[in-house]
Amino acid sequence: AAQTPPSKGYPAYEKANRLFVAGKYQESFNAVDEALRLDPKLVPALTLKAKLAMAANRYDVARQSLEQAIAADPSSSYAQFLYGFQFYQQNQLPAAILSLEKARRLNPRDPRAALYLGLARESLGETTEALKTYREAIQLGEASGHLDSDMLLSCSRLLFRLGDFAECRQWIDRAL
């Protein structure tokens, strides 16, 4: 099978990502704009633009960038995760749940999608589903080697609220 040629915008995206990691957000934004000028459908650049926009509370720009990314590559679980995350950040919980569930279908091994899905469900009072999802996030985090204390503490906080102090203590001890 013939390989597709690399995107003309990819080197500018890589520069933008390095600047983002270094905390140079305005320079990163300029570089990501250059990447998108060269390749308007470059999904990594669109998702980076969305992260930069969310950091600046420009959720309108983030949403537009993520919708473009999803249109360009409907199988991008990361773009779908960020789409759900931006809804979560804006307290648009039903939309967040739909997008995060789709992200989980696209990549069932992503613990971040499970964590934020649990947070959104808990915020809507769906405690049984939230607890189940938090436990899945913890299992996925352990399996991937990316277990985050937020996963453990979110689960323990809900268990505390539900009165299950023994299991709550178990997760707190692991987080510490």
Side-chain angles (χ1 to χ4, degrees), residues 6-22 27-28 31-32 34-36 42 44-45 48:
S7 166
K8 291 180 182 176
Y10 204 79
Y13 156 73
E14 287 179 319
K15 177 182 177 184
N17 196 48
R18 283 192 304 274
L19 291 165
F20 178 80
V21 170
E27 294 165 66
S28 177
V32 85
E34 174 64 13
L36 292 171
L42 183 59
L48 180 56

Side-chain angles (χ1 to χ4, degrees), residues 2-174:
Q3 288 189 345
T4 58
S7 166
K8 291 180 182 176
Y10 204 79
Y13 156 73
E14 287 179 319
K15 177 182 177 184
N17 196 48
R18 283 192 304 274
L19 291 165
F20 178 80
V21 170
K24 298 178 180 181
Y25 303 120
Q26 184 58 53
E27 294 165 66
S28 177
F29 195 81
N30 295 340
V32 85
D33 274 350
E34 174 64 13
L36 292 171
R37 186 186 66 74
L38 294 167
D39 183 352
K41 294 183 178 185
L42 183 59
V43 173
L46 288 164
T47 57
L48 180 56
K49 182 175 181 176
K51 291 192 313 188
L52 287 160
M54 283 188 272
N57 280 335
R58 291 294 314 270
Y59 288 96
D60 57 327
V61 173
R63 183 174 302 169
Q64 180 183 22
S65 296
L66 293 167
E67 287 171 354
Q68 290 172 328
I70 292 166
D73 181 4
S75 69
S76 173
S77 62
Y78 187 60
Q80 192 66 51
F81 164 73
L82 288 176
Y83 196 56
F85 178 75
Q86 62 87 30
F87 283 125
Y88 175 80
Q89 289 290 99
Q90 298 175 85
N91 207 29
Q92 297 177 16
L93 301 174
I97 287 171
L98 288 174
S99 296
L100 292 166
E101 285 175 338
K102 186 166 187 180
R104 288 201 67 205
R105 284 192 301 274
L106 291 168
N107 182 2
R109 294 181 309 229
D110 183 359
R112 297 168 305 184
L115 172 62
Y116 282 96
L117 181 57
L119 290 166
R121 286 177 169 158
E122 182 180 358
S123 296
L124 287 177
E126 299 173 6
T127 55
T128 303
E129 281 301 308
L131 189 56
K132 177 182 173 216
T133 309
Y134 287 147
R135 288 178 174 143
E136 290 171 6
I138 291 167
Q139 289 174 341
L140 293 167
E142 289 172 331
S144 69
H146 293 96
L147 182 61
D148 189 307
S149 63
D150 287 342
M151 296 170 196
L152 298 167
L153 294 175
S154 295
C155 187
S156 65
R157 183 192 67 245
L158 179 54
L159 288 163
F160 182 82
R161 285 185 42 223
L162 296 174
D164 188 341
F165 303 118
E167 189 178 351
C168 168
R169 174 70 190 258
Q170 169 193 348
W171 295 120
I172 290 174
D173 288 344
R174 286 199 53 202

